[in-house]
Amino acid sequence: QVQLVESGGGLVQPGGSLKLSCAASGSIVHPNILGWYRQAPGKQRELVAGMFTSGTSDYADSVKGRFTISRDNTENTVYLQMNSLKPEDTAVYYCYLKLLAYTQNTYWGQGTQVTVSS
């Protein structure tokens, strides 16, 4: 029904940048939220950023000013531009889609590893 596929993860040095992409396909109903969660080993999954169909977005305090979320509603793709990366940003990043109408289902990508290390 709905599939989310992330790309762009990898290894980067502290202070570096990385851009994640997530393409959603299937029965995607508007309005919705597209965004990113992350989970480090032994830690709870936490919201990184999310953006409503309207363009309204929110960020975790830890990434404000460093990460920027954007989306292309036509292509159902969400991006996460990550700048000034810190070792604390190391985690598996999961793309998510939250439908705000109809079924109101939440869908998850398989995750992409981001490692920030020197």
Side-chain angles (χ1 to χ4, degrees):
Q1 48 183 334
V2 173
Q3 184 177 13
L4 303 174
V5 180
E6 303 101 330
S7 63
L11 175 64
V12 65
Q13 293 185 334
S17 298
L18 210 58
K19 187 173 184 178
L20 306 182
S21 299
C22 174
S25 61
S27 300
I28 302 172
V29 179
H30 287 39
N32 58 60
I33 303 170
L34 273 171
W36 301 87
Y37 276 73
R38 68 184 181 186
Q39 186 170 25
K43 297 183 179 179
Q44 297 292 322
R45 185 174 297 189
E46 64 174 349
L47 175 69
V48 177
M51 180 172 281
F52 289 83
T53 314
S54 64
T56 300
S57 62
D58 69 313
Y59 298 85
D61 289 340
S62 60
V63 307
K64 287 181 179 178
R66 299 188 298 120
F67 291 10
T68 302
I69 189 171
S70 61
R71 62 182 288 173
D72 183 328
N73 291 338
T74 301
E75 299 295 329
N76 291 312
T77 301
V78 63
Y79 306 92
L80 186 67
Q81 178 65 51
M82 304 184 293
N83 300 136
S84 302
L85 283 162
K86 305 175 180 179
E88 306 90 89
D89 296 318
T90 296
V92 177
Y93 284 69
Y94 297 90
C95 175
Y96 79 97
L97 168 68
K98 170 64 177 177
L99 303 183
L100 301 178
Y102 191 43
T103 64
Q104 298 187 306
N105 287 346
T106 300
Y107 302 91
W108 297 91
Q110 65 182 20
T112 184
Q113 176 70 227
V114 172
T115 302
V116 184
S117 176
S118 59

